[in-house]
Amino acid sequence: MLFSLKSATAVSAVALSVMFATETFAADVTWNVSLWGKRRAFTEHVEKLAQEVAAKTDGKFEIVLHYGGALSKSRENLDGISFGAFEMAQFCASYHADKNPSLTVLELPFLGVSDLETEVKVSKALYDHPAVQKDLGRWNAKLLMPSPMPQYNFAGKGDVPASISDFDGMRVRALGGLGKLMEAVGAVPTSVTASETYQAIDSGTVQAAGFAPHAHLSFKVVEVADWWTKNLNPGTVHCPIVVNVDAYNALPDDFKAALDASVDPALAHYLDTYAKVYDKWWPELENRGVTQVEFTDEELAAFSSKAGPIHEAWVEEQSANGLPAQELLDMVKKTIAE
């Protein structure tokens, strides 16, 4: 009888300790984030966001990152957000320009964005515009923060381009406005996912790919490249972090405040991290003997001259779709100029 009583007491103690641990450490709210690829500079703001939110809520609000397309394919992340398959996701506007036309204004070529801080500023201004919020609202998505990226430049295999004419007929991996620009100079934009790019260049399916430096490193394009356009700087793609509107609205006020207050620290961490990418980038180019192509001012002017008609065509097309396109473009240019 004494043994049974002790056993029962021990069992009760264990049960109570488990209950206490569960109450103490289990998150009250858990959000899942759909990402592709692996952890890299491009996702560091989401990593930091999760840390900040956990710290601000004593671990009661947990944000769990899922890499490698574990929850969804990269081009289907916005769809997943729309029906609540997960609470947060990253996507690029050029993956489905018809689904988020308002965001594609930031993918127009030669806008004049000089640094990542400017890109953050102009992105936030765009996100605050009612037309943009309405556009993303169709997918039950709330824009949380951008993934600011440097200007894309091309890394390629084969003959080194020295002028705008050398891109004529070249098959390139280029999305959004960058793709339109390259098409305007005679190149042939090809739709290849980031993870397929290494093989596409190595096999000759495409001859060059437009990426920011972190992606040239992460997706190993630099390993098969003979050249890189050091100063073309034609544009970039826009890849925001969005959250499901219903999930956001369901958050307790203090969790909502914690999430919102974590955005700026997350972006600051991202910018610090990205600055360090170049510490790896330049030595990597040198070590691999990659030719760094620097175009003359005349050649850059020839590239830039192709951007005007692309801007005009974008305004015409998106105005016909019901967007205040000229207003959005003017706001973007004004914010950049400031």
Side-chain angles (χ1 to χ4, degrees), residues 139-200:
W139 307 99
N140 209 22
K142 171 182 169 61
L143 290 154
L144 185 67
M145 60 181 176
S147 307
M149 284 192 288
Q151 295 291 292
Y152 271 35
N153 274 288
F154 286 91
K157 187 176 181 180
D159 295 337
V160 180
S163 68
I164 188 171
S165 61
D166 291 335
F167 286 95
D168 189 24
M170 185 184 294
R171 294 185 303 279
V172 297
R173 192 265 186 192
L175 305 177
L178 180 57
K180 288 184 171 62
L181 175 69
M182 298 312 293
E183 187 174 19
V185 301
V188 182
T190 305
S191 181
V192 179
T193 65
S195 59
E196 295 170 337
T197 304
Y198 171 92
Q199 180 60 36

Side-chain angles (χ1 to χ4, degrees), residues 17-291:
S17 67
V18 170
M19 288 175 61
F20 179 77
T22 301
E23 291 175 358
T24 304
F25 299 110
D28 292 346
V29 174
T30 299
W31 274 19
N32 292 299
V33 189
S34 181
L35 304 165
W36 66 91
K38 60 184 180 180
R39 180 174 179 174
R40 55 204 187 281
F42 184 61
T43 61
E44 275 303 303
H45 53 335
V46 192
E47 293 279 354
K48 182 64 172 177
L49 185 83
Q51 294 172 12
E52 289 283 327
V53 166
K56 286 178 170 63
T57 62
D58 295 324
K60 293 179 181 177
F61 183 5
E62 181 182 24
I63 296 177
V64 182
L65 283 62
H66 299 268
Y67 286 100
L71 298 183
S72 172
K73 295 179 180 178
S74 58
R75 295 174 186 269
E76 297 174 3
N77 273 344
L78 186 56
D79 295 301
I81 284 290
S82 71
F83 54 78
F86 30 81
E87 292 80 13
M88 187 183 296
Q90 185 175 41
F91 67 87
C92 295
S94 51
Y95 285 172
H96 32 59
D98 57 323
K99 292 182 179 179
N100 42 239
S102 62
L103 296 180
T104 60
V105 65
L106 293 182
E107 296 191 333
L108 290 173
F110 285 106
L111 285 173
V113 178
S114 58
D115 52 50
L116 296 186
E117 289 80 4
T118 300
E119 191 175 338
V120 169
K121 182 180 177 182
V122 72
S123 297
K124 286 185 173 183
L126 186 70
Y127 294 178
D128 286 339
H129 197 286
V132 178
Q133 295 176 359
K134 182 180 179 181
D135 185 22
L136 274 294
R138 296 179 300 141
W139 307 99
N140 209 22
K142 171 182 169 61
L143 290 154
L144 185 67
M145 60 181 176
S147 307
M149 284 192 288
Q151 295 291 292
Y152 271 35
N153 274 288
F154 286 91
K157 187 176 181 180
D159 295 337
V160 180
S163 68
I164 188 171
S165 61
D166 291 335
F167 286 95
D168 189 24
M170 185 184 294
R171 294 185 303 279
V172 297
R173 192 265 186 192
L175 305 177
L178 180 57
K180 288 184 171 62
L181 175 69
M182 298 312 293
E183 187 174 19
V185 301
V188 182
T190 305
S191 181
V192 179
T193 65
S195 59
E196 295 170 337
T197 304
Y198 171 92
Q199 180 60 36
I201 292 179
D202 192 39
S203 65
T205 303
V206 299
Q207 293 154 283
F211 275 136
H214 78 270
H216 281 305
L217 289 169
S218 296
F219 297 106
K220 300 182 179 181
V221 175
V222 69
E223 296 181 13
V224 289
D226 297 321
W227 52 267
W228 178 66
T229 60
K230 183 177 181 180
N231 70 334
L232 182 57
N233 299 329
T236 188
V237 298
H238 189 71
C239 305
I241 304 297
V242 294
V243 300
N244 175 274
V245 170
D246 296 332
Y248 180 83
N249 290 339
L251 288 174
D253 289 342
D254 55 338
F255 284 15
K256 230 181 253 184
L259 179 63
D260 293 341
S262 297
V263 169
D264 284 344
L267 287 171
H269 172 71
Y270 180 103
L271 296 179
D272 288 343
T273 301
Y274 212 98
K276 296 173 184 175
V277 169
Y278 287 100
D279 294 337
K280 298 178 180 178
W281 178 243
W282 303 118
E284 187 75 11
L285 293 176
E286 294 289 342
N287 293 339
R288 293 187 177 278
V290 176
T291 299

